[in-house]
Amino acid sequence: MKLALIGASGFIGSALLNEALARGHAVTALVTRPERLSPQPRLTPVKADVRDPAGLVAQLRGHEAVISAFSGHAQPDVLGYYERGVEAILTAIKAAGVPRLLMVGGAGALEVAPGIQLLDTPEFPAEYRATAEGARRALAMLRAEPELDWTMLAPSALIAPGERTGDFRLGEDRLLVDANGDSHVSVEDYAVAMIDELERPAHSRRRFTVGY
């Protein structure tokens, strides 16, 4: 499949890039610094800026799907940058005629009890609040989107480097926890779940989650 990956050099984006390439997909990696990506077969690094919607349209045109690992966590105005970026990405995808979008979500918008989201609990770390709120608002934008075939994949509360086991559970709107009450997933297994969804769509116009 020919896909465009926004944010391919980031923490989650890098894992998604590796998984997609390993499965034989052709990836256009849209990043701010293409020189950070090592040359690989089927990889085309492209310098991109979500603040340039017209340029983004041209870069996305001709792809079968877009995976967005965009976030604003490295910006001074995390939430504002996140919102504006997601709006630009949605606009560009529609203008480019790409039929499908998969987006990296956040665990903060998952429920820990009926009607209570993780982000709204007192224990949620303050340093991640703006990024989590950005992901929550991105989900609201997707749910209000009448045209796109979109999917959002939310990680568990902790996503960290680990092993690619392929042994995980999928859920929908509730935070997944293991037998010890921990919510975690490796970034490698997160990438497996996302590329599985790319290849075998099962959550059209829905958010789902992955964890152990």
Side-chain angles (χ1 to χ4, degrees):
M1 188 177 297
K2 184 179 181 182
L3 66 98
L5 175 55
I6 299 171
S9 61
F11 170 56
I12 294 179
S14 296
L16 293 170
L17 177 62
N18 291 339
E19 184 68 24
L21 290 174
R23 297 201 199 183
H25 298 291
V27 183
T28 301
L30 303 181
V31 293
T32 54
R33 297 180 63 181
E35 67 275 10
R36 289 183 173 180
L37 297 176
S38 301
Q40 296 186 64
R42 301 181 306 282
L43 171 62
T44 305
V46 174
K47 182 176 177 61
D49 186 346
V50 296
R51 295 169 297 183
D52 176 18
L56 198 57
V57 171
Q59 291 163 342
L60 294 179
R61 190 171 283 124
H63 291 87
E64 296 170 72
V66 173
I67 300 179
S68 175
F70 170 83
S71 77
H73 69 270
Q75 303 297 319
D77 176 17
V78 174
L79 182 55
Y81 185 81
Y82 206 146
E83 284 191 289
R84 291 189 297 272
V86 170
E87 287 172 353
I89 290 167
L90 295 180
T91 299
I93 289 171
K94 289 186 287 185
V98 181
R100 191 153 174 247
L101 166 66
L102 295 92
M103 184 174 286
V104 174
L110 294 169
E111 290 190 344
V112 294
I116 301 175
Q117 296 182 358
L118 180 62
L119 177 55
D120 298 323
T121 61
E123 299 81 16
F124 195 89
E127 61 268 30
Y128 301 124
R129 187 167 294 278
T131 301
E133 181 60 42
R136 178 159 67 180
R137 294 188 188 182
L139 176 60
M141 290 183 215
L142 290 173
R143 285 175 168 167
E145 172 55 54
E147 300 174 35
L148 279 177
D149 181 7
W150 61 269
T151 298
M152 177 178 275
L153 176 56
S156 293
L158 176 63
I159 179 169
E163 295 183 31
R164 183 192 185 281
T165 69
D167 184 14
F168 47 76
R169 295 182 294 145
L170 301 180
E172 294 191 356
D173 295 322
R174 188 75 181 261
L175 186 75
L176 292 174
V177 296
D178 64 15
N180 297 319
D182 297 322
S183 176
H184 61 116
V185 70
S186 73
V187 70
E188 292 85 358
D189 276 340
Y190 177 93
V192 172
M194 181 71 92
I195 305 304
D196 282 350
E197 179 68 23
L198 172 73
E199 296 175 346
R200 300 182 296 279
H203 300 86
S204 177
R205 296 185 61 81
R206 286 191 290 156
R207 183 261 309 269
F208 73 114
T209 187
V210 58
Y212 299 131

